[in-house]
Amino acid sequence: MKISAKEKNSEKRDDPRIKYSGQVFFTTKNGFYEGNLKNYSEHGLFIRTFNILPVGSTVTIALPYLDGYVKRQGQVVRANKNGFAVELFKEDCDPFQKVSPRAMQIK
């Protein structure tokens, strides 16, 4: 079976993406925002939002998990008119630390 050049270039990641549609909250040093999680993997995710962050921005994300949210940090690695992709930082502590979106907003 032959793989097209387009298919080779579209999958540059090691981890498979899982499609997901749900609300997600994120913060930067400049504010608190919300968007929709389009897909995710162990090391990254894509957020659809009107609040496009510049490539290189550090972002803290409240991800839906079981009966609440967990907080993860990462860096924006790609952005387009629909949203942005984040590479998640490796966590030294518990990667599933529960957090509320309201707690993220209050600093």
Side-chain angles (χ1 to χ4, degrees), residues 4-47:
S4 72
K6 183 179 178 181
E7 288 174 317
K8 285 181 187 177
N9 290 333
S10 69
E11 269 309 310
K12 295 179 182 176
R13 58 189 65 90
D14 294 328
D15 303 314
R17 292 281 175 171
I18 299 167
K19 289 184 179 183
Y20 181 86
S21 181
Q23 190 174 32
V24 65
F25 301 94
F26 56 98
T27 63
T28 68
K29 63 181 180 181
N30 298 323
F32 178 81
Y33 311 96
E34 64 182 276
N36 287 298
L37 190 59
K38 179 182 173 190
N39 61 49
Y40 67 94
S41 73
E42 183 178 348
H43 298 104
L45 51 89
F46 187 89
I47 298 174

Side-chain angles (χ1 to χ4, degrees), residues 19 29 34 49 60 93-94 99:
K19 289 184 179 183
K29 63 181 180 181
E34 64 182 276
T49 182
T60 301
C93 58
D94 181 6
V99 67

Side-chain angles (χ1 to χ4, degrees), residues 1-106:
M1 182 173 161
K2 210 172 188 184
I3 298 174
S4 72
K6 183 179 178 181
E7 288 174 317
K8 285 181 187 177
N9 290 333
S10 69
E11 269 309 310
K12 295 179 182 176
R13 58 189 65 90
D14 294 328
D15 303 314
R17 292 281 175 171
I18 299 167
K19 289 184 179 183
Y20 181 86
S21 181
Q23 190 174 32
V24 65
F25 301 94
F26 56 98
T27 63
T28 68
K29 63 181 180 181
N30 298 323
F32 178 81
Y33 311 96
E34 64 182 276
N36 287 298
L37 190 59
K38 179 182 173 190
N39 61 49
Y40 67 94
S41 73
E42 183 178 348
H43 298 104
L45 51 89
F46 187 89
I47 298 174
R48 284 188 183 271
T49 182
F50 294 112
N51 305 101
I52 310 301
L53 301 179
V55 171
S57 299
T58 298
V59 61
T60 301
I61 308 151
L63 296 167
Y65 182 72
L66 298 177
D67 60 346
Y69 291 86
V70 295
K71 182 168 70 171
R72 293 293 306 269
Q73 285 192 313
Q75 184 173 35
V76 176
V77 293
R78 183 175 51 84
N80 63 34
K81 66 180 181 176
N82 298 315
F84 57 89
V86 174
E87 182 177 343
L88 297 171
F89 296 147
K90 182 179 176 193
E91 297 290 326
D92 291 331
C93 58
D94 181 6
F96 298 107
Q97 172 189 357
K98 286 196 174 188
V99 67
S100 72
R102 178 151 172 77
M104 286 180 58
Q105 188 173 10
I106 302 169

